[in-house]
């Protein structure tokens, strides 16, 4: 509609057209990745994930992690590096809880997904490290630590890696045991 809007500036129309071109290219890339993945029977879970992401937003924690990874890959084709995965505990937690409730993944399987995900970025040895955030206050001023916050911290500590870099948002209502866990990780 903006393309037909007579009040839209040429700059706005050009920007919209560039977005359409980029999204079409991303969809072509996803199609190519999906087609290639079908050649490998052991990649069935990956193939299904890519297919689902071509159709809609992530509906499982695995799809959310894969979308994050795909975003990083596509975004960095340009001139700038993507800096953060975001507050992944809060972004992924609804999917994590739904996966557990529906039996799509067990807690241990999610831990394994995070081992792979974090190790991938650790092995990449990105020039400035890859940050992501955890915690912080919610809209009501309560500390936003979650079950997934603790799981991610435990996996990170188990891996004994320093990259990707965790940025933990402190808040005065942060549970003391969580703060102690984080401080212990920093010391070690």
């Amino acid at each position: 509609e903006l393309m037909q809007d007579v009040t839209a500036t040429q700059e706005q129309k050009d920007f919209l057209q560039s977005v359409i071109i980029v999204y079409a290219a991303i969809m072509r890339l996803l199609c190519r990745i999906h087609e290639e993945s079908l050649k490998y029977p052991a990649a069935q879970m990956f193939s299904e994930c890519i297919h689902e992401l071509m159709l809609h937003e992530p509906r499982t924690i695995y799809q959310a992690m894969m979308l994050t990874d795909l975003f990083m890959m596509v975004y960095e084709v340009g001139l700038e590096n993507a800096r953060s995965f975001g507050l992944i505990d809060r972004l992924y937690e609804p999917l994590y809880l739904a996966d557990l409730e529906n039996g799509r993944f067990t807690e241990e399987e999610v831990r394994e997904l995070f081992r792979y995900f974090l190790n991938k970025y650790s092995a990449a040895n990105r020039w400035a490290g890859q940050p992501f955030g955890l915690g912080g206050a919610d809209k009501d001023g309560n500390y936003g630590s979650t079950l997934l916050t603790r799981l991610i911290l435990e996996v990170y500590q188990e891996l004994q890696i320093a990259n990707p870099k965790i940025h933990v948002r402190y808040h005065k209502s942060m549970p003391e045991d969580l703060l102690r866990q984080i401080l212990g990780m920093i010391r070690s």
Side-chain angles (χ1 to χ4, degrees):
E1 291 181 25
L2 182 62
M3 297 300 280
Q4 306 306 320
D5 185 350
V6 293
T7 63
T9 67
Q10 187 59 46
E11 184 178 13
Q12 290 170 323
K13 290 178 182 181
D14 290 345
F15 175 77
L16 179 60
Q17 187 60 40
S18 72
V19 170
I20 291 169
I21 290 167
V22 168
Y23 277 103
I26 291 169
M27 288 304 293
R28 286 192 308 274
L29 174 63
L30 290 178
C31 287
R32 289 174 51 206
I33 291 170
H34 181 252
E35 287 173 17
E36 188 64 26
S37 71
L38 292 173
K39 297 176 183 177
Y40 304 94
Q44 181 180 353
M45 184 174 153
F46 174 78
S47 297
E48 290 171 1
C49 176
I50 296 299
H51 183 261
E52 291 297 312
L53 290 175
M54 290 170 20
L55 301 175
H56 52 72
E57 76 284 351
R59 295 184 177 163
T60 70
I61 194 165
Y62 177 62
Q63 290 172 8
M65 294 168 98
M66 187 55 61
L67 183 62
T68 298
D69 194 42
L70 290 166
F71 172 80
M72 298 300 290
M73 176 184 68
V74 169
Y75 187 81
E76 292 185 345
V77 169
L79 298 175
E80 295 187 31
N81 292 332
R83 290 300 303 139
S84 177
F85 297 149
L87 296 171
I88 61 174
D89 56 341
R90 307 219 357 234
L91 292 170
Y92 295 176
E93 178 146 297
L95 300 170
Y96 169 63
L97 295 175
D99 286 345
L100 292 178
E101 184 178 319
N102 295 315
R104 285 187 291 262
F105 293 106
T106 65
E107 180 184 315
E108 184 51 41
E109 288 169 329
V110 172
R111 285 177 183 277
E112 187 62 22
L113 289 173
F114 271 103
R115 286 180 191 110
Y116 175 79
F117 185 74
L118 295 173
N119 268 325
K120 177 180 181 184
Y121 283 91
S122 179
N125 199 22
R126 298 164 65 93
W127 67 274
Q130 178 58 57
F132 67 92
L134 298 175
D138 65 16
K139 63 183 171 115
D140 298 322
N142 301 311
Y143 191 73
S145 70
T146 64
L147 296 173
L148 195 54
T149 306
R150 293 176 189 276
L151 183 146
I152 293 168
L153 287 169
E154 289 167 7
V155 169
Y156 191 88
Q157 187 170 18
E158 168 195 325
L159 295 174
Q160 294 292 301
I161 56 178
N163 183 28
K165 302 180 291 191
I166 299 177
H167 296 195
V168 180
R169 289 183 164 187
Y170 173 79
H171 187 269
K172 63 184 177 188
S173 65
M174 174 186 270
E176 187 172 333
D177 65 321
L178 180 62
L179 179 58
R180 289 185 182 279
Q181 178 184 5
I182 293 163
L183 293 174
M185 290 174 68
I186 292 168
R187 279 191 300 274
S188 68

